[in-house]
């Protein structure tokens, strides 16, 4: 993993990155739904939008310092954002390039390529202004009510220009958070972090930073991680995992052991697994056929296929079951727990397919949420409803390539989507906004929906700076799109995280679904 703030694709400040890189805003460090709130971090508030939300102004807190005691300034945040446009530091989220005025042409501050004031690069981006050392202003090419969520991304971490070693910066990035990097081996394969003496809770009300030092290893096999955590011998007693989940077999073992059971934290994250249709492929051009598929699906067998109710919750809505997304319950094609084959057959017969229908379901051959087990559960549900289903398994990379190819995606396939931050925009816009159909590249709008009314509503909601009001409208839009049977939501995954036996203060927010390293303490 790269440990450069420009190259990290994380929201909410990330997990380990958040120990070193503070951002303008961050996620609220709280358990469950409370953790989906966006809160100020380096900034004094969530930002002041202009009347039409095209200009966002932030003021930095007083007394902010780096690990070397030097002050953090607005110019450093400007430089941090600008360097994320450089080709040699690619990897971060695409929003800044799309939203900042001049972002699409800008090529970073390192003196190569176009953009900048002198036309040669090597200069700043004019749409980011720093009128003084504590003020930073972002000028956008369209209204963005969600900007406070975006400002949690590590691209908003301060990087002082004088200390910027570009590609080498990740070896020793200057910390604005509670820990500094003392060792970075092989691109973050092993990171050693120690307390930053210039950080204090006076200037940071989110992170707790209880341990004196943190040792991060990446690239371990998930089964090995869970084995080491459950045994908890030596240093492993004080270990946690930042993203490893317990699988069905491990959960069965854990549930029989009282000690292990007490060391499991449950997480939710805005994610939906669903059946995607490409309506350009027959017979899925017929809405009735898509409806029949929706009526046929038994959610129980889908949930069981991925490990049961402690690892998945049935879904009938596209938006995850969380208030922050604007979750609005609906079930347009009620199938009950076990599917409604009778209704599915009726709908098919009406559409002129009285003798059933032959279809193909494409899935990944790799075990998991788009794998063979779920595919065969879906196949069984559909066959009860009179469909004849052929399964087409593709190797993982080939599968992803195919499902994201606008021209050649299959008619029916397993898919899933997780949002970059807990709100309706990054959940619904990439999937249903007609202007986000990508002809050559990764296309996520599987149904190739380009509906003027939907596009217009996406724009209208995206302008809202009242995030609660926006959420309500995202939910209503989800319900409206759902009527077209362009996808069949199957389930929302649930995460079970094991910790070492001496670990306390387990906080798992619904923003990340993983244990928050900044809150962990050791007994």
């Amino acid at each position: 993993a790269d440990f450069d703030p420009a190259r990290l694709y994380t929201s909410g400040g990330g997990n380990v990155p958040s120990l070193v890189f503070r951002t303008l805003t961050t996620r609220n460090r709280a358990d469950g739904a409370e953790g989906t709130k966006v809160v100020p971090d380096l900034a004094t508030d969530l930002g002041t939008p202009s009347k039409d939300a095209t200009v966002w102004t932030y003021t930095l807190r007083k007394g902010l310092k780096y690990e070397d005691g030097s002050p953090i300034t607005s110019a450093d945040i400007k430089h941090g954002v600008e360097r994320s446009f450089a080709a040699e530091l690619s990897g971060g989220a695409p929003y800044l390039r799309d939203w900042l005025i001049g972002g699409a042409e800008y090529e970073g501050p390192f003196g190569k390529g176009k953009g900048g004031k002198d036309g040669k690069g090597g200069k700043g981006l004019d749409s980011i202004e720093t009128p003084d050392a504590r003020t930073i202003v972002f000028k956008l090419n369209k209204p963005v009510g969600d900007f406070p969520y975006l400002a949690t991304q590590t691209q908003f971490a301060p990087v002082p220009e004088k200390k910027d070693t570009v590609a080498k910066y990740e070896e020793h990035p200057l910390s604005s958070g509670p820990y500094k990097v003392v060792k970075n081996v092989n691109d973050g394969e092993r990171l050693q972090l120690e307390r930053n003496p210039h950080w204090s809770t006076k200037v940071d009300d989110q992170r707790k930073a209880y341990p004196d030092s943190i040792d991060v290893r990446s690239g371990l096999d998930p089964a090995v991680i869970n084995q080491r955590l459950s045994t908890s011998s030596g240093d492993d007693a004080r270990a946690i995992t930042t993203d490893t989940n317990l699988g069905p077999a491990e959960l069965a073992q854990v549930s029989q052991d009282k000690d292990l059971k007490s060391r499991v934290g449950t997480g939710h994250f805005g994610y939906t697994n669903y059946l995607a249709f490409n309506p350009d492929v027959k017979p899925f051009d017929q809405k009735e056929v898509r409806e029949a598929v929706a009526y046929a699906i038994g959610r129980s067998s889908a949930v069981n296929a991925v490990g049961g109710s402690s690892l998945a919750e049935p879904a009938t809505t596209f938006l995850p079951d969380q208030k922050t997304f604007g979750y609005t319950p609906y079930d347009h094609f009620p199938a009950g727990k076990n599917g409604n084959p009778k209704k599915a057959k009726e709908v098919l017969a009406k559409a002129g397919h009285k003798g059933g229908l032959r279809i193909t379901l494409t899935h990944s051959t790799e075990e998991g949420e788009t794998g063979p087990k779920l595919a065969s559960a879906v196949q069984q549900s559909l066959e009860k409803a009179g469909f004849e289903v052929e399964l087409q398994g593709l190797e993982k990379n080939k599968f992803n390539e195919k499902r994201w190819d606008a021209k050649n995606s299959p008619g029916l396939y397993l898919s899933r989507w997780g949002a970059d931050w807990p709100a309706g925009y990054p959940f619904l816009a990439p999937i249903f906004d007609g202007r986000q159909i990508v002809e050559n590249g990764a296309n996520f709008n599987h149904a190739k929906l380009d509906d003027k009314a939907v596009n217009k509503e996406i724009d209208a909601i995206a302008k809202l700076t009242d995030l609660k009001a926006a959420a309500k409208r995202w939910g209503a839009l989800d319900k409206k799109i759902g009527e077209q049977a362009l996808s069949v939501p199957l389930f929302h995954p649930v995460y079970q995280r094991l910790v070492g036996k001496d670990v306390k203060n387990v906080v798992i927010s619904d923003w990340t679904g993983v244990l928050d390293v900044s809150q962990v303490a050791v007994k």
Side-chain angles (χ1 to χ4, degrees), residues 22-91:
R22 292 183 65 187
T23 40
L24 281 174
T25 57
T26 190
R27 63 181 188 278
N28 188 34
R29 305 305 160 116
D31 219 33
E34 275 301 297
T36 56
K37 289 188 178 136
V38 58
V39 293
D41 192 0
L42 291 171
T44 53
D45 57 27
L46 296 180
T48 306
S50 60
K51 207 161 77 190
D52 62 353
T54 57
V55 180
W56 283 85
T57 304
Y58 288 86
T59 305
L60 299 187
R61 295 177 191 234
K62 285 183 178 146
L64 297 169
K65 288 180 179 138
Y66 290 108
E67 64 182 72
D68 62 358
S70 60
I72 293 171
T73 68
S74 55
D76 302 343
I77 290 177
K78 175 174 160 75
H79 180 68
V81 169
E82 287 166 348
R83 63 197 292 280
S84 73
F85 284 80
E88 59 266 57
L89 295 175
S90 63

Side-chain angles (χ1 to χ4, degrees), residues 196-254:
N196 166 11
H198 290 281
W199 172 89
S200 84
T201 49
K202 281 195 195 79
V203 289
D204 185 351
D205 53 7
Q206 285 299 319
R207 297 156 186 84
K208 295 285 189 273
Y210 295 123
D212 292 328
S213 63
I214 296 177
D215 190 352
V216 186
R217 316 277 177 110
S218 69
L220 296 172
D221 182 82
V224 171
I225 291 173
N226 283 326
Q227 186 52 51
R228 283 177 58 176
L229 288 171
S230 66
T231 310
S232 270
S233 58
D235 282 350
D236 291 342
R238 298 183 294 281
I240 59 155
T241 170
T242 56
D243 64 358
T244 303
N245 204 20
L246 290 170
E250 292 161 320
L251 267 179
Q253 184 198 335
V254 163

Side-chain angles (χ1 to χ4, degrees), residues 304-362:
N304 289 337
V306 294
S309 57
S310 49
L311 290 173
E313 290 165 352
T316 59
T317 65
F318 198 79
L319 284 176
D321 186 355
Q322 292 178 29
K323 226 207 243 132
T324 169
F325 286 97
Y327 170 72
T328 302
Y330 66 84
D331 188 359
H332 295 313
F333 312 104
K337 277 184 175 178
N338 304 313
N340 188 344
K342 190 167 164 260
K343 180 74 179 168
K345 282 177 182 164
E346 262 169 47
V347 176
L348 273 184
K350 254 191 204 153
H353 304 289
K354 208 171 176 177
L357 200 51
R358 287 185 72 159
I359 57 174
T360 301
L361 170 64
T362 306

